[in-house]
Amino acid sequence: MGVPDRFAVEYPRRALELIGMLEASARDNSLLGSFGLLAASAVLTIPFERMRASHFLHDHARDDDLVKNMQALEKAAFLKAPFWRRPPDDGTWRQSRIVSTVDKVHKWVDPDGRDPRSEEANTIQRRKASEVLRVLRNALAHGNIIYLDRNGQEMAGNQMVYMAFLSRYEESAEQREQAETYRVVITTEEGFLHFVKSWAGWIGGLDLDRRVDSAA
């Protein structure tokens, strides 16, 4: 395969091809969650980094469409964001906060004393896409990911069903001093891979008009 003209856009397309080639093997070996993380680490990071005007490889004229589409995610609801191939299943995604010790899953508590995994604590319906993506990116960058079983617990040896992504909640100076205050996004391994494939397909298609014009 040749050297890409637009790495930030073409790399996700190539990653999506690889996902298609390897997904069945990951499923057969019960490695779907880890497979999703493997793909997401770069597919989610590279476009965000390349859209920054401060990035030494950023080209304003070439990447203007990427910047505009990424910035639009600050206004789009996460569950209705333009990158979804199809809307995510109800209840697949959750977002909340953890104000208790974060390394002891069974002791997680949100600011109102509720289990952050509960439906009552779930705020995903009102979250913008950029808010959720920020948690996912930070968790991937810092390794803040916890596998959970069907009961939402971190029990070694149990079958993994959910993935929890954690990011420091740093809204105020007081919160920045509290190391155990985190945002948490939780989804299933199926839900996460659906997101990764949707995201890669969306980013990879951003220059579709340009490619059609070039081929005409």
Side-chain angles (χ1 to χ4, degrees):
M1 187 169 284
V3 175
D5 175 51
R6 300 187 69 197
F7 186 75
V9 174
E10 293 180 48
Y11 172 76
R13 288 205 299 268
R14 299 181 183 190
L16 194 57
E17 289 186 36
L18 287 169
I19 291 172
M21 293 161 51
L22 302 172
E23 180 179 343
S25 180
R27 289 182 179 278
D28 290 344
N29 290 279
S30 299
L31 292 171
L32 199 63
S34 298
F35 178 62
L37 290 180
L38 184 67
S41 294
V43 170
L44 193 58
T45 301
I46 288 174
F48 272 100
E49 292 302 317
R50 288 293 184 94
M51 71 171 279
R52 299 177 188 276
S54 59
H55 195 286
F56 76 101
L57 293 175
H58 179 84
D59 183 311
H60 177 73
R62 180 190 62 197
D63 297 325
D64 183 57
D65 57 341
L66 177 63
V67 172
K68 288 180 179 178
N69 279 278
M70 299 288 269
Q71 289 177 339
L73 298 180
E74 296 178 5
K75 297 181 179 180
F78 174 71
L79 296 179
K80 298 180 180 179
F83 51 74
W84 291 110
R85 286 180 165 182
R86 65 177 188 278
D89 296 335
D90 290 344
T92 299
W93 290 83
R94 298 176 183 274
Q95 180 164 339
S96 186
R97 285 176 53 197
I98 300 172
V99 297
S100 57
T101 178
V102 75
D103 61 334
K104 299 184 185 303
V105 173
H106 62 286
K107 292 186 177 181
W108 281 358
V109 175
D110 83 342
D112 296 317
R114 302 169 299 193
D115 186 332
R117 291 155 293 196
S118 67
E119 185 57 42
E120 294 75 21
N122 188 15
T123 63
I124 198 71
Q125 291 285 349
R126 62 175 184 266
R127 293 297 173 186
K128 301 300 183 185
S130 58
E131 294 178 298
V132 180
L133 292 172
R134 188 175 299 116
V135 175
L136 297 177
R137 289 170 53 222
N138 288 346
L140 288 165
H142 299 289
N144 297 344
I145 301 159
I146 300 176
Y147 287 178
L148 305 174
D149 62 21
R150 60 180 298 184
N151 297 314
Q153 298 298 321
E154 187 184 23
M155 302 293 292
N158 284 3
Q159 178 67 43
M160 186 268 281
V161 176
Y162 300 102
M163 308 164 73
F165 299 83
L166 299 108
S167 175
R168 279 289 303 277
Y169 191 89
E170 300 178 338
E171 188 172 282
S172 67
E174 180 181 359
Q175 290 167 339
R176 283 192 287 273
E177 293 177 359
Q178 299 178 27
E180 288 105 15
T181 305
Y182 283 79
R183 296 181 183 93
V184 60
V185 169
I186 300 174
T187 187
T188 62
E189 57 179 355
E190 289 281 0
F192 187 66
L193 185 60
H194 170 52
F195 159 73
V196 172
K197 292 193 290 186
S198 296
W199 175 263
W202 181 66
I203 292 292
L206 289 183
D207 69 344
L208 180 59
D209 292 341
R210 186 180 305 184
R211 282 183 278 150
V212 170
D213 291 340
S214 176

